[in-house]
Amino acid sequence: MIRILFFILAVLLLGAGFAWLADRPGDLVVTLSGMQYKVSLMVAASAIVAIVAAVMLFWWIVKSLVTSPYALRRHFRARKRDRGYQSLSTGLIAASAGDGETARRMVKQADKLLNVDQEPLIKLLDAQAAMLEGRAEDARAKFESMLDDPETKLLGLRGLYLEAQRLGARDASRHYAEEAALLAPGVEWAASAALGQKTTHGDWDGALLLLEKQTATKQIDKTKAKRERAVLLTAKAIETFETDPASARPIAIEANKLAPDLIPAAIVAAKALFSQGDLRKGSKILEYTWKKQPHPEVADTYVHARLGDSVIDRLKRARHLASLYPHHPESNLAIARAALTAGELKEAREAAEAVLRTAPRESAYLLLADIEEAQTGDQGRIRQWLSRAVRAPRDAAWTADGYVSERWAPASPVTGRLDAFEWKVPVEQLGPVIDSGDDFDRAMATEPAQPLGEMKALNPAKPTVSEREKPAFKDDLDDEDVADAEIVHLDQGKPPQDQLAQMAAKTANPERPASVLPAFPETLKPEQKDEELVLPVPDDPGVRPDDAAQRSSKKFRLF
């Protein structure tokens, strides 16, 4: 555009000059070798302009002839470069799409058309093609060769880091991430990876220092940096509290101030305060956290705040904490646990049953099994609660990237991501439902009959509820675990076959919940051999067999 303007301006100036000469007539006389030449000014000016134009044209022709070999070479070189970049672009697109064959073909074309030393993307495309073809060793060799060039060193470190992550080589990935972070502190992936690696290995001071550098260079948002600092301080306080509670106190309090909604920070801060006798301040921290989100660890820490308290005092503290968030399942569970420890079994049962009415969960059924053992000792009822616990919805747990942990951790053990653990119900695939009625019928039809005196339980030795582990899930049950009801072998004559048919019919009753296994007595006394075998009460947590009259008059009672 500028050249066009200059050309128009030159034409206008020439036109204005010729117009000026036309308005002023005159002659130009030139004497040469005794000869006198006379021309007008207009002819003289036109001749001068023509001569200048001819000289410029001649110079351009001579220059073009002289520089034509170089221009031809430059033209062909540019054409070759364009074809090479086209091949490189096609290869990168093919590698991103997962087309390893096309990527390898484009690598060969780009290698012929372009200079590998001058175009680092060829090395990247070659490494990606090797990864797509499954040649991991060649890919790592390509990335390692990039480390020699300062321009591609960071790219090579990232490729080696990702490859180490894929193979599960945590030490190698940590080394590459730290080296990349030192080379380019402003690169987010390197800094984040190094931070996660330091967190995984418990280097809290190094992680905090690296987080401060990220915050200073504005690589991370201030709100996120504040949260991650609280997470790191919480992890450091938890580790320090085991050996030096006094030193852990300021660290934990700072973490709690940075993130008041972080449950582990509140718990470790309260424990540090309780260890130094500051009951009031520690209780306030837990009460604030409880109002935000009731949590069983908060309740346990709050109830056991003072070592010298009696079980009645702990029950009172549980009641007070539950009053801050009434009608919540965790509030009822806190009261139920404290009441069971204090011997208030009626209150414990009522609180646990309240949980079943609002949000049934595994821990509530297990707690009712403990209450049943302490209150009645009825093994049939205990097994009923345990069988319901197997099929009940799971309790919330600390979960990060599909990994479920019993304790909170500052980073995910799967990806190393900081502040990844969340308190939620784990997602799992449920196994097949066990139909107790069909299993009983099958057992009665296939098992050979034995004398009544030789009755044998499939699970002869069962620990008490307090000694039981958490019930296995349905996927872990085998054929012997299906016989949780301890099915016994009966003699063909004692009791008669018609009574066995009645027992099987009652067991397979469609009105009975199919998710519960029938409970049978483990052993019978000798004097009971000839007596009629009494079936257990159907699986209903509302049934309380206080005496035989209640069981015979009313077998079901809802909450």
Side-chain angles (χ1 to χ4, degrees), residues 265-343:
I267 292 174
V268 69
K271 287 182 177 180
L273 292 170
F274 292 156
S275 64
Q276 297 183 355
D278 196 345
L279 184 65
R280 183 182 62 84
K281 190 173 182 180
S283 299
K284 283 187 176 181
I285 292 176
L286 293 179
E287 289 173 359
Y288 177 83
T289 305
W290 183 266
K291 292 178 182 178
K292 294 291 184 181
Q293 181 183 0
H295 194 277
E297 295 180 14
V298 174
D300 183 70
T301 306
Y302 187 86
V303 170
H304 297 84
R306 195 160 41 199
L307 296 178
D309 284 351
S310 63
V311 291
I312 300 300
D313 293 334
R314 291 173 181 172
L315 177 58
K316 292 180 180 178
R317 290 183 63 83
R319 291 170 181 167
H320 174 69
L321 185 66
S323 65
L324 301 178
Y325 206 132
H327 309 299
H328 194 277
E330 292 297 341
S331 299
N332 292 324
L333 286 176
I335 294 178
R337 294 189 183 99
L340 176 61
T341 306

Side-chain angles (χ1 to χ4, degrees), residues 86-99 102-103 106 125 128 132:
Q86 181 64 36
S87 300
L88 183 60
S89 176
T90 305
L92 290 174
I93 294 174
S96 301
D99 188 355
T102 303
M106 292 298 106
L125 180 58
Q128 289 182 346
L132 289 174

